[in-house]
Structure formats: structure tokens, C-alpha cells
Amino acid sequence: MKVTLKDGSVKEYEGSKSVYEIASDISQGLARVACAGMIDGEVVDLRTVIEQDCELSILTPTDEEGLRTIRHTASHVLAEAVKRVFPDAKLAIGPAIDTGFYYDIDHAPFTREDLDTLEKEMKKIIKEDEKITKFELPREEAIKLMEEKNEPYKVELIQDLPEDAVISFYQQGEEFIDLCAGPHLMSTKGIKAYKLISSSMAYWRGDSDKAQLQRIYGTAFNKKEELADYLVYLEEIKKRDHNKLGREMELFTTVDVIGQGLPLLLPKGTKMVMKLQRWIEDLEDREWGYVRTKTPLMAKSDLYRISGHWDHYKEGMFVLGDEEVDKEVFALRPMTCPFQYYVYKNTQKSYRDLPYRMGETSTLFRNEDSGEMHGLTRVRQFTISEGHNVVRPDQAEEELQNCLNLAVYVLTTLGLQDDVTFRLSKWDPNNREKYLGDESYWETTQEALRNILVEKGLPFKEADGEAAFYGPKIDIQARNVYGKEDTMITIQLDCAIAENFDMYYIDQNGEKKRPYIIHRTSLGCYERTLAWLIEKYAGKFPTWLCPEQVRILPISDKYAEYAEEVKQELARNGVDVTVDHRSEKIGFKIRDARLNRLPYMLVVGEKEASDRTVSVRSRYAGDEGIEAVDSFVDRICKEIRTKEIRKEEVTEENK
């Protein structure tokens, strides 16, 4: 048997060998740090036996999958600690994730003190150097084992597997056994640095109709220094958490009696959303050829039956009325597309009228699970830059490219272009009832979107089961400060729905033809975008987006009149400006303006009033010196007009 190693060298063995045995044969040092193996590109357990020629890599903590194996083992150590400290707790699942690991547990909520206790117990388990072994059982024996251990969630997982499945388990030491496919370390001693971060509620299998569990999040690294750096990083990102920072900056709030997922945008947050909205509307209408519509916030169930949403999306809608009792049942709209189809149908269109691009600032309503609500990123009422482009089939490719170009332009202007990833969201062929159209339809439309991404040169991932029920999507994804991914902008190709609404255009031969429809956003959800901007800039927004762009600071009341004159000049030119008339020392006013993350402060005193100047201090460069009022007005107006993202210079003032 020939085993080709990562460096190209070849090892020959007469009989079969496990990955761990080969690592030991290479060097004992490698065996000590080995976490897993990769055979012909597939990650495997160290216990995996090799019986034929292959390519093999020994994965260590410096490899992504090696570190993931450490974290997966840490999740099992946590589970064992839970069973030691809280014997009545029931275990659900405990995978490794990008930032560490978690374990879902049926138990009362865990306090910080509980997590500290579990950490100490984990330390004992690691110090005991429990050997980790793997064994397999037939399905029925596996069920019996987990029933004997009184682990109902494990039993349910096994029962969902085929009857002829062979089930794998890992055992730590003498007592702890967990259902798992692996891979895992050879011993608990391989965990060098770990920390339990937090706990929260989670639904079993993500279903709000199922049991509420407690999810303990943790992380693990190979070195204590790496863990320490990560914990410092966590403290830093907490400062950027939009749910915390947005409230501190008085951008938004929530109120229990109003309801979960229904945030209140406060005046400053409202001002920012207004700026974004006006920009997007002007951009779409004046530069990208959109017509603007305004459609109702609700409709009869009849409309949603035609569109298919009643059959495919009803559970996510707010329904007003009872179908069995009321003559008419209404629902708040979860999307605008069926409304805009009737705008298109209002007048007959010819092939010359296409593409027909409809844009709307749409307020939508979606009945999200209560466990999913979070700040501005997951809400039940939100506003979106929604649009639907009705195109001839021969125009679809170019129009899809235009929609993607617009989205990239918007991201670039906001300074967010480097913070996104692209995803081709496809149907799930194993769940055909969820979707319109046949296999050929989906393969054709998915290939069209794939080609757009390839031609644009954008790296992307493909995801089954993430498409809309009527067509595939290009989803532009971003992660929040905690690593959770959300869809920010979406572009969807729909070649089926026009039939439902009898939408057509007259071609050059005078015949009726069905158009294609592109569902798209240019910015996406304004609330989610505001959250994204808060975290991206830590509240230090580009000047054009700031709700307060300039604050004028008179040194004393004697210069209040001049401060008001400067304010009026700036306000006439569209700058958001205030005057700080408080009877405080100028140093206090400057510090307060800096704490409020203001782009510009203009200090005015005797010299400035007599010379018609201002003393400019900025968030970007600290003290910028004396400048004529007209000159500063011209400069800031250009910065706002061009939407410049000015970089901060490191000075003693703004370190």
C-alpha cells in the first residue's frame, strides 16, 4: 500500500494502517499534535484505517479542520461536564462552529456562575487525560443504548436514520458516551485552551414548536495566547454590537408593550434611514431607469393564492381574519411582488417597453419566530428597497448583470464591498413540493445566475434549499460582529410566476409573450443595513450619513450670535448642524462631541467672529486649524455630495 503525503513523499506499508499509526511512523512529534487526517480530500478521524493507495495529510491545530476537531472534542468535554454537574440534564447536539463550539442541552437556563463551574469540571476531565475511543452499533442497539442512558434527543436523531444504518459513538474514559460521527482527538488532554462564552435559548432542531433548550457557546484554541487574543477581540466587538451601541447612540430602541421585533427608530436613526432611502430612490429613478410605485400594505388572501405565497409562505405571514368564518381574509404583505405585477398589467406593454423596472420603498411584515428576534437584524416589520424588473427572455442576462452592478455600486459607496460574500441559492431537488417548476426549469435558471457570477469574477458558494419557491437567487451575505451570517441584498430570477398573473407583452409579430421577472434589492432592508453600518463603523459613520454632521461650539455666550450665523449658512447648504449653547467649558464641549462620534466640531470665539472664520476640529484628523466659513462650507458640501469615506488619521486627540 502506497500513501502519498502532503510534501509529495511516499510511504509504503505491507498491511493496513490507521491515520494515527502513520502519523506516529512519520514522527512521534507529529503524532502528539495530530488532530485528524485528510484522505483524498476528505476529512477523517485519526482512528480511520487505510487499506489502499491514497493521498494523506495529517491535520494539526494549524489547519482549519484540525482546529475544528479540537473544538468538536471540547464540545464533548463540555457535555461530559454537564452530565457530571447536572446529572438530570438531557443532551441534544454539540457541533464545532467557525468561532468555537456549542452544545444544546435540555435544562434550566445556565447562569455565568454555572458556566464557571462547568469550566472547572472540564479542566478536571482534561487533566484526567481520558482516552477517547470510537465504536459502532446497529440502529436498534444504538437506540437501546441511548434509551438506557435516558437521552431522548439522541434517540430521536437515531430514529431518523435508515434502518440499516450503522451508528457511530465516541466514549471518553469509563462512563461518558456520545452519539457522533467525529472526528475527535485521541484524548481529552489534547485540549490546551478553552473558554465558555455565553448561553442562550435555542429551539430543538430550530423549530419553535419543539422544545426550548439551552445552548452553551464556547471556544477552544491550541495555545493560551491565541485564546487570550480571541477574548480581547470579543471584548472589542461587543463595543460594536449594534444592539448595544445603537441604543447608546439613541438610534433605536424597543418597548415591551409594542412588541418583539418591532423596533422604534429614534430621531437620529430615522435621519440616517431617510438619507439612505432618498439616495437609493434618486439613484434608481434618475440613473438606473426605475419608475416608482406605492402599493398597499395588505391584500386579500386571493392575491396571495394567485402568487403562491398562501400555499408556500402562509406560516410566515400575519393573517387578519379567519378563513372559516370571515367572507374576506386579509394579510399584511410579506413582499411587494404581487402588487407590482398589477402595476405592470395596468397598461398593455410591447416588447419596446421592456425592461420595465419598478422600484418601491416597501414596508413589509413577516411573522418571525420569537427566538430569532435580534435588534435591527431580525424584525417583524421592516422597510426594503424592493424592485421588480419585467424583461424579455433575451434581456434577462444583461438585466441581471445590471442588478448586480447596482448592488455592488451601492456596497462600494457605503464602504461595505469588502465585507460581503456571494451565494448562489438553489432549490432542493429532494423537496420538490416546496417549489414551482420542474427540474429543467431549475437547472436552466440556476445556470443563468451562475454564469453572471462567473462573468463578474466574483467568488461564490452554492447552497441547496436556499432558493425562493419560484426561482434561484444571488444572495449577498454579510456577518455581524459575532459571526452570524445574514442576507443583505438579493437578486432572484423568476421565469414562472408571470403565468399565474397572466402577464404578457406584445412582441414584434403582434403575439402575446410571457416575460421573465427579476426580483431584486439594491440596498436591502434599511433596518438591517443600519445595524450593519453601526457595527462596521463602530458608530463613526461617513460624514454624509451622520444624523449630526457639524456641531458649533461657542467659547462663551458672547459668540452665540455668530455661532447661529455659521449654523444658518451651513443649514442653507443642506448640512445637518447644531450649536452647543450650554454654559460649559470649551474642553467639556469638545470631549462630549468626540464621545458622540461627530465628524466635525467648529469652535468659535473672538478671533473667529471678527475674521469670519471657524476653528475646525474633526474626528478624522483632530485639530485642522482655522478656516474661512465659505471654504469649510464648500469642503464639507463636497464631502457629503461625493459620499466620501474619509479615513481617520492617528493623532494624539483621536488615538
Side-chain angles (χ1 to χ4, degrees), residues 242-413:
H242 87 275
N243 211 12
K244 177 177 181 292
L245 186 54
R247 296 170 195 271
E248 291 174 356
M249 295 183 67
E250 299 181 3
L251 299 176
F252 77 96
T253 189
T254 52
V255 180
D256 287 344
V257 296
I258 292 176
Q260 195 176 15
L262 299 170
L264 298 175
L265 288 183
L266 301 175
K268 292 178 181 178
T270 302
K271 173 81 78 168
M272 290 186 67
V273 169
M274 284 173 57
K275 291 182 179 189
L276 288 168
Q277 180 180 324
R278 289 169 179 169
W279 170 51
I280 291 296
E281 289 178 353
D282 287 345
L283 181 67
E284 290 181 346
D285 300 356
R286 296 176 183 175
E287 299 183 34
W288 291 81
Y290 283 76
V291 295
R292 192 125 309 260
T293 68
K294 187 173 178 60
T295 56
L297 299 180
M298 68 177 76
K300 295 193 298 183
S301 61
D302 305 48
L303 178 70
Y304 304 116
R305 293 181 197 277
I306 296 171
S307 68
H309 289 103
W310 203 253
D311 293 330
H312 295 275
Y313 201 80
K314 183 182 175 183
E315 295 303 313
M317 297 167 65
F318 288 102
V319 178
L320 311 176
D322 187 332
E323 292 180 86
E324 296 182 2
V325 176
D326 299 316
K327 185 177 179 181
E328 292 184 330
V329 174
F330 287 78
L332 298 176
R333 65 180 185 186
M335 63 285 295
T336 311
C337 42
F339 298 85
Q340 287 195 330
Y341 298 157
Y342 284 97
V343 173
Y344 173 85
K345 283 167 61 70
N346 186 58
T347 58
Q348 182 171 284
K349 305 292 190 300
S350 84
Y351 68 97
R352 294 189 183 90
D353 297 316
L354 304 188
Y356 189 74
R357 307 179 183 100
M358 295 171 285
E360 181 165 338
T361 303
S362 307
T363 298
L364 305 178
F365 307 85
R366 296 185 184 174
N367 191 11
E368 302 279 5
D369 291 335
S370 59
E372 294 293 319
M373 300 296 104
H374 178 68
L376 297 177
T377 58
R378 186 71 67 174
V379 292
R380 287 176 169 149
Q381 176 184 313
F382 56 94
T383 303
I384 193 169
S385 61
E386 195 167 15
H388 297 89
N389 301 7
V390 185
V391 302
R392 303 191 310 263
D394 63 288
Q395 297 172 322
E397 181 177 348
E398 182 179 0
E399 195 66 10
L400 284 166
Q401 289 176 339
N402 287 339
C403 291
L404 186 55
N405 289 340
L406 173 57
V408 171
Y409 172 79
V410 168
L411 290 170
T412 302
T413 303

Side-chain angles (χ1 to χ4, degrees), residues 416-581:
L416 302 170
Q417 71 278 9
D418 295 330
D419 303 319
V420 299
T421 57
F422 295 84
R423 184 180 76 189
L424 174 57
S425 297
K426 306 186 297 184
W427 77 321
D428 180 0
N430 297 316
N431 188 12
R432 292 171 181 254
E433 293 182 359
K434 179 182 174 182
Y435 305 96
L436 300 179
D438 58 17
E439 185 172 348
S440 175
Y441 167 79
W442 283 93
E443 290 301 323
T444 300
T445 52
Q446 287 171 177
E447 185 62 21
L449 293 185
R450 186 181 290 111
N451 289 340
I452 297 297
L453 289 165
V454 170
E455 289 178 16
K456 187 74 175 171
L458 297 170
F460 64 96
K461 295 181 179 180
E462 300 191 12
D464 291 335
E466 294 294 338
F469 69 85
Y470 47 75
K473 304 183 291 178
I474 295 174
D475 286 327
I476 301 178
Q477 307 287 109
R479 294 182 184 274
N480 68 12
V481 291
Y482 296 106
K484 184 180 182 300
E485 187 174 85
D486 285 303
T487 299
M488 308 307 296
I489 297 174
T490 186
I491 300 166
Q492 307 169 14
L493 177 59
D494 180 354
C495 306
I497 206 73
E499 183 78 26
N500 296 31
F501 286 87
D502 191 27
M503 297 171 66
Y504 64 87
Y505 65 92
I506 305 298
D507 71 5
Q508 54 267 51
N509 298 318
E511 297 179 357
K512 291 183 177 180
K513 298 290 184 182
R514 297 291 183 209
Y516 291 172
I517 297 164
I518 298 171
H519 308 243
R520 48 99 275 172
T521 55
S522 52
L523 175 70
C525 169
Y526 285 99
E527 289 83 355
R528 186 173 288 179
T529 300
L530 179 56
W532 190 10
L533 289 166
I534 293 170
E535 294 186 352
K536 163 72 176 181
Y537 292 105
K540 296 180 179 181
F541 308 110
T543 300
W544 74 275
L545 270 176
C546 288
E548 184 182 0
Q549 295 162 330
V550 177
R551 185 178 294 178
I552 303 172
L553 313 177
I555 290 176
S556 70
D557 288 343
K558 291 190 294 184
Y559 311 108
E561 183 177 345
Y562 177 62
E564 287 295 330
E565 291 177 16
V566 176
K567 174 187 173 182
Q568 290 174 15
E569 181 63 23
L570 285 162
R572 274 196 298 270
N573 284 274
V575 179
D576 290 310
V577 54
T578 61
V579 178
D580 187 345
H581 284 301

Side-chain angles (χ1 to χ4, degrees), residues 553 555 584-594 603:
L553 313 177
I555 290 176
E584 299 284 356
K585 293 182 178 179
I586 193 64
F588 174 88
K589 292 182 179 182
I590 291 172
R591 285 192 298 274
D592 184 63
R594 288 173 60 192
V603 179

